[in-house]
Amino acid sequence: MIQDISLGLLNTYKESINSYDEVIDQNGQVKPYWKGLFDTLESIGIEELNLRNEEIIKKLKENGVTYNIYDSNKNSNRAWKLDPIPFLIHESEWKTIEKGLLQRARLLDLILKDLYGPQTLIKNAIIPAELVFDNSGFLLPCFDIRQKHDKQLLNYAVDLARGPDGKMWLLDNRTQAPSGAGYALENRIVMSKVIPELNKKTYRKRLSPYFSQMQQTVDTLGNNSNENPNVVFLTPGPGNETYFEHVYLSSYLGYTLVQGNDLLVRDGFVWLKSIDQLERVDVIIKRLDDTWCDPLELRKDSLLGIPGLLQVIRLGNVSVVNPPGTSILENYGLMAFMQNACKFLLKEPLLMNSVATWWCGQAKELNFVLTNLPKLIIKKTNRKQGFRSIYCRLLTKEQLEDLKKLILKNPKDFVAQEEVSLSTTPSFINGTIEPRFAALRAFLIADETDYIVMQGGLTRSSAVKGKFEISNQLGGISKDTWIISDSPTEYHEKSVERKNTNTQLNNSLTSRNAENLFWLGRLCERTMALRSFLKIILNSLNENVTKSDNKQPDFLVVLLKSLTHLTQTYPGFVGKEPKLGEVFDNDAIFENPIEELLLLINDSSKPGSVVYNLQSMLNTINQVSEKWNHDTRRIINLVEDSLFALKNTNTNNITFVNHGLDKLHIRLFSFYGNIYETLPRDNGFYLLETGKNVERILSLLSVFRSTLNFKKKEEEEALLMEAILENHHLLAKYRNIYKSHLSLKAVVNMVFLEKNLPYTLSYLLDTLCYYLSKLPKANDPNRLSIAEKSALEACTIVKLIDADELIQVDEFTQFRPKLDKTISQVFELICQVSTNLSSLYFNHSVMQHSALDTLENRDTDEI
């Protein structure tokens, strides 16, 4: 007799059930596949399950899985939550659910084509006209727009939960930009790695066929003359709630991730602005809400869409998944008329129940709603009005009266739904397994003849016991969803042979991403250069005592002033120029420089500080998230940890501050090394390296000029030269050649003219010229670009330097005019390189739009 090892956990869980639960069938027995899962959980043990749960949290963080949450004060990236206990449905039940989902998808597609076409549903009074025409989801400019594919609703998601009859009920439709499929895939991958024991005893359906079908469907939408359509994945940007998924899916499916300002309409087509050329776009996978898609015909204040997009769709020159106008199907009020619409269009009854719904725009239904208000949930037909569902049983008598008045004021704006008892499912909460309400989001994609249903989905359970609050906005916890079978299922994937084309092999580098990668190189180098110089100053403060009058040594004063010039954080240590009649004590800051130095480290509101630069760098990294692999993401997480630690540095302990800066240095170098080893040698890599070299050159010139353009005392100048050599990783090499003797001529020769040391000016300029030469040239590839010309001129000036001439001093002023002039010339030319790159690659001869954060936040598809 086999021992039943699941009695402990399973019995404990059964005792905590107080409503209908997924584990128990209608006869009160434990479902066999749930019993098998509890067997495995028992063998793992609660303590080990806790450790696995911690590993899931760690893995999700390493993979950068987030869901952006907004409140009234700020926006933040909330870590994605994944329950280690999956949600199970047997395939015998799933087949019934599939039939209902397929029917609903066909029905909604027919409704969509009817409402934007002959409108027979309205003419035959199947659906009230007011419910359609007064709804913000009905977009008149989209009327009579038809795409190439027979199905207009190509991508469809639906929220389900088990109703009181033991069957799955439809709760909500997601049609304009369905989200969650990427999270479902990530959940499956993480669960497979962290809890492999669950895989060994259970046969479950795969998710990959859904994504393969998505690629095949997208391929069929391309232009007939193009066997490899150019597909882009349109996102509102990093401020959007599900931005992680946009990055994840675009990378997984192999499509270029774009924002609205990466695209333009010209000559009746949509074009992608890449740094090589304008590339025609065949298919857009849209993750914008409909009204933001085209500011010319829809929402005029949208900075997220593409002006003229609707006209290109009308011409049949671009396909969109899903096309603008599908938002009308998300109207809660339509659910009250689905049964009649199904009989009218499909000549059959609905196979899947929906929650009972009453539209208040009809007298009979309105009276029913007002009479039974305490039993109902009130929603708006326009879901974009920011109206949260009202659970009337929670209201006082006064609140119910106020709600009645609100409904009577404009009844057609409101919908009432029955509040039904939904099922719970096992969830791992704070070290115990307990029942929580849950809902499943299922996903469908159109194929050549019908729809394909994902064999799984995204399940979300409530974070609060006894409440049906599954939204991620409210802290809902996701689950991997398993469609269980009794035997392994073989899947034969269709293979589609494509021609090898450049657009297939390499995602295009958009102008926006080109600029972000260039600035990523600059910001990373800027942060490292500032950290390096701060280290030298902080160490000097530790090593040197102040003079009798509490003043710092002269060389340290020069370094502190140089730091202000480097960071452009004036007045800083440079001080203010007193006006007539005013007196400033500009020396006071040197008596206790730590206060200003700490601001240069941890003040996030101070442009030029370490934390400010680091935050800007991380924001830029987020703009090009699709470029990073898992190892890079792990390093980025460590850099974020350093940012948090430095922000909270409020001590005057120099050793502690140094320790934090050292950690940051190691992590930034790890980031450099990882991307250098893993990024493909393409235009994005060349621009990142160009940005890094531009910033490194400018930092070197700034420090050298502000420390040695005036002659100092011999001992002071020796200390300054040592600091410069150390700052540019040249001190050990200098001592190896010249021993301990410090000569300005030798320092100039090494720092400016040595060709084999990575931080010398000559080496950096040669490297800069090399990377500039690798970038595309729009006109003649055999001629120098304007950026190359500026870099070459700077390189020539440096290579013609005569060190003896450069260090000459004006006896009266002790100024080194030749040194200052040379550095100034080179500095200006390198600044011109940056400006020239902007005109060459980061802008086109069209207006560029920037996605405002507030608008990004307002474009949401809550999951």
Side-chain angles (χ1 to χ4, degrees), residues 791-860:
L792 179 59
E793 187 177 347
C795 195
T796 304
I797 290 172
V798 169
K799 289 181 178 179
L800 293 176
I801 281 174
D802 183 328
D804 287 316
E805 198 177 308
L806 212 63
I807 64 175
Q808 292 300 312
V809 178
D810 184 301
E811 291 186 8
F812 180 72
T813 62
Q814 297 298 294
F815 184 61
R816 295 188 172 105
K818 186 66 175 177
L819 176 67
D820 189 80
K821 182 181 178 182
T822 302
I823 291 177
S824 180
Q825 285 179 320
V826 176
F827 192 95
E828 182 61 33
L829 286 166
I830 300 305
C831 288
Q832 284 180 24
V833 169
S834 183
T835 304
N836 293 337
L837 286 171
S838 180
S839 63
L840 283 170
Y841 303 118
F842 309 151
N843 295 296
H844 285 266
S845 57
V846 292
M847 183 182 295
Q848 299 281 318
H849 297 278
S850 60
L852 297 181
D853 184 60
T854 52
L855 292 181
E856 286 181 355
N857 296 355
R858 293 168 66 181
D859 176 69
T860 63

Side-chain angles (χ1 to χ4, degrees), residues 22 33-34 37 86-90 162 425 480-482 484:
E22 290 293 323
Y33 49 91
W34 276 108
L37 177 73
F87 184 81
L88 311 184
I89 300 178
H90 196 271
R162 195 177 299 279
T425 189
D480 190 11
T481 305
W482 293 4
I484 304 297

Side-chain angles (χ1 to χ4, degrees), residues 696-697 699-701 703-705 708 720-731 734 738 743-755 757-765 798 801 803 806 819 823:
R696 193 170 287 180
I697 292 167
S699 298
L700 184 154
L701 294 172
V703 171
F704 207 101
R705 184 184 188 188
L708 294 171
L720 290 173
M721 286 188 286
E722 184 176 323
I724 285 174
L725 290 169
E726 183 182 353
N727 190 50
H728 296 95
H729 311 282
L730 298 170
L731 185 58
Y734 184 92
Y738 300 102
S743 156
L744 183 56
K745 178 180 177 180
V747 168
V748 167
N749 276 322
M750 175 168 280
V751 174
F752 282 33
L753 299 175
E754 176 59 54
K755 291 185 176 182
L757 297 174
Y759 276 81
T760 64
L761 188 55
S762 185
Y763 181 93
L764 291 172
L765 285 167
V798 169
I801 281 174
L806 212 63
L819 176 67
I823 291 177

Side-chain angles (χ1 to χ4, degrees), residues 772-785 788 841:
L772 289 173
S773 70
K774 304 294 286 184
L775 294 172
K777 298 177 179 65
N779 299 321
D780 188 345
N782 297 316
R783 292 189 178 185
L784 297 178
S785 68
E788 285 181 282
Y841 303 118

Side-chain angles (χ1 to χ4, degrees), residues 449-727:
T449 57
D450 199 5
Y451 288 89
I452 297 293
V453 182
M454 179 190 285
Q455 299 301 297
L458 178 66
T459 299
R460 292 157 294 150
S461 60
S462 176
V464 182
K465 191 172 184 179
K467 287 188 176 182
F468 189 74
E469 293 183 349
I470 61 167
S471 165
N472 289 80
Q473 286 280 9
L474 302 174
I477 303 166
S478 73
K479 286 173 167 287
D480 190 11
T481 305
W482 293 4
I483 309 303
I484 304 297
S485 60
D486 298 325
S487 58
T489 304
E490 290 189 11
Y491 171 69
H492 301 286
E493 190 170 340
K494 299 176 186 176
S495 59
V496 180
E497 187 175 348
R498 299 181 176 182
K499 291 181 179 179
N500 287 329
T501 65
N502 290 332
T503 56
Q504 178 191 337
L505 296 174
N506 297 302
N507 276 356
S508 302
L509 181 65
T510 65
S511 298
R512 176 182 52 83
N513 274 358
E515 185 170 15
N516 282 320
L517 287 167
F518 172 75
W519 275 101
L520 174 57
R522 290 201 61 173
L523 289 166
C524 190
E525 181 59 35
R526 185 176 296 178
T527 308
M528 293 185 72
L530 175 54
R531 173 262 162 204
S532 179
F533 204 49
L534 277 166
K535 280 281 295 180
I536 291 169
I537 291 173
L538 290 171
N539 289 338
S540 297
L541 283 170
N542 264 346
E543 295 166 3
N544 293 275
V545 295
T546 57
K547 297 179 182 178
S548 57
D549 55 357
N550 284 332
K551 290 187 177 180
Q552 300 296 338
D554 291 339
F555 88 95
L556 196 48
V557 171
V558 173
L559 289 179
L560 289 169
K561 289 182 176 180
S562 180
L563 178 63
T564 298
H565 289 303
L566 176 66
T567 58
Q568 301 285 297
T569 53
Y570 301 109
F573 293 105
V574 174
K576 295 181 180 179
E577 196 69 37
K579 296 180 182 178
L580 188 63
E582 292 181 323
V583 177
F584 289 115
D585 184 8
N586 286 328
D587 292 331
I589 194 171
F590 297 110
E591 295 178 10
N592 183 25
I594 291 295
E595 184 177 347
E596 176 68 17
L597 288 172
L598 280 175
L599 290 177
L600 281 172
I601 294 170
N602 64 14
D603 188 352
S604 59
S605 64
K606 189 181 187 72
S609 71
V610 172
V611 165
Y612 185 92
N613 290 340
L614 201 53
Q615 185 63 67
S616 299
M617 175 191 141
L618 287 167
N619 289 340
T620 308
I621 284 173
N622 196 31
Q623 290 279 350
V624 286
S625 294
E626 67 272 23
K627 298 289 182 183
W628 316 129
N629 61 26
H630 289 310
D631 289 332
T632 311
R633 290 183 191 280
R634 293 187 183 98
I635 298 169
I636 292 168
N637 288 333
L638 293 174
V639 175
E640 288 175 341
D641 291 343
S642 282
L643 172 64
F644 179 79
L646 290 172
K647 270 185 177 180
N648 294 282
T649 301
N650 54 6
T651 177
N652 289 341
N653 187 324
I654 294 179
T655 304
F656 181 83
V657 175
N658 263 332
H659 182 65
L661 291 175
D662 284 342
K663 265 190 174 181
L664 173 64
H665 178 72
I666 292 169
R667 289 167 178 178
L668 288 178
F669 252 117
S670 298
F671 178 71
Y672 259 163
N674 183 270
I675 59 177
Y676 189 87
E677 293 296 328
T678 58
L679 281 183
R681 269 36 180 182
D682 57 12
N683 292 328
F685 173 82
Y686 300 139
L687 280 164
L688 188 144
E689 288 294 311
T690 296
K692 180 178 80 175
N693 280 277
V694 163
E695 192 66 33
R696 193 170 287 180
I697 292 167
L698 294 177
S699 298
L700 184 154
L701 294 172
S702 175
V703 171
F704 207 101
R705 184 184 188 188
S706 56
T707 51
L708 294 171
N709 59 348
F710 280 91
K711 184 179 181 182
K712 281 83 175 176
K713 295 176 184 176
E714 186 174 343
E715 181 183 352
E716 180 186 349
E717 198 154 86
L719 291 169
L720 290 173
M721 286 188 286
E722 184 176 323
I724 285 174
L725 290 169
E726 183 182 353
N727 190 50

Side-chain angles (χ1 to χ4, degrees), residues 154-157 178 181-182 206-217 249 252-253 442-446 452-456 491:
L154 296 161
N155 190 14
Y156 173 48
R206 295 171 56 191
L207 304 182
S208 58
Y210 169 85
F211 296 100
S212 297
Q213 182 58 54
M214 178 177 282
Q215 289 178 313
Q216 292 172 34
T217 299
L249 281 181
Y252 181 81
L253 298 170
F443 302 94
L444 294 86
I445 189 73
I452 297 293
V453 182
M454 179 190 285
Q455 299 301 297
Y491 171 69

Side-chain angles (χ1 to χ4, degrees), residues 194-319:
V194 177
I195 315 182
E197 295 92 334
L198 294 177
N199 309 332
K200 295 176 180 178
K201 298 180 180 180
T202 306
Y203 300 119
R204 62 188 179 193
K205 301 284 188 177
R206 295 171 56 191
L207 304 182
S208 58
Y210 169 85
F211 296 100
S212 297
Q213 182 58 54
M214 178 177 282
Q215 289 178 313
Q216 292 172 34
T217 299
V218 167
D219 282 348
T220 65
L221 296 171
N223 191 283
N224 290 330
S225 62
N226 187 357
E227 294 185 25
N228 299 293
N230 191 8
V231 183
V232 298
F233 200 104
L234 178 60
T235 173
N240 186 255
E241 290 173 326
T242 55
Y243 182 67
F244 160 79
E245 183 180 59
H246 305 171
V247 174
Y248 185 81
L249 281 181
S250 62
S251 177
Y252 181 81
L253 298 170
Y255 302 139
T256 303
L257 185 67
V258 301
Q259 295 180 28
N261 58 356
D262 295 322
L263 304 173
L264 66 96
V265 169
R266 182 177 291 176
D267 300 328
F269 295 94
V270 175
W271 302 87
L272 172 66
K273 295 182 284 186
S274 74
I275 69 167
D276 296 286
Q277 60 187 354
L278 291 177
E279 298 177 9
R280 180 178 160 185
V281 174
D282 299 297
V283 184
I284 299 172
I285 300 177
K286 173 180 71 69
R287 293 304 292 266
L288 297 181
D289 281 0
D290 288 350
T291 54
W292 301 97
C293 287
D294 185 347
L296 286 184
E297 298 194 53
L298 300 173
R299 186 162 182 156
K300 294 179 181 179
D301 61 344
S302 171
L303 301 180
L304 304 176
I306 308 124
L309 175 63
L310 289 186
Q311 180 60 18
V312 183
I313 299 174
R314 288 189 195 99
L315 295 172
N317 291 336
V318 72
S319 296

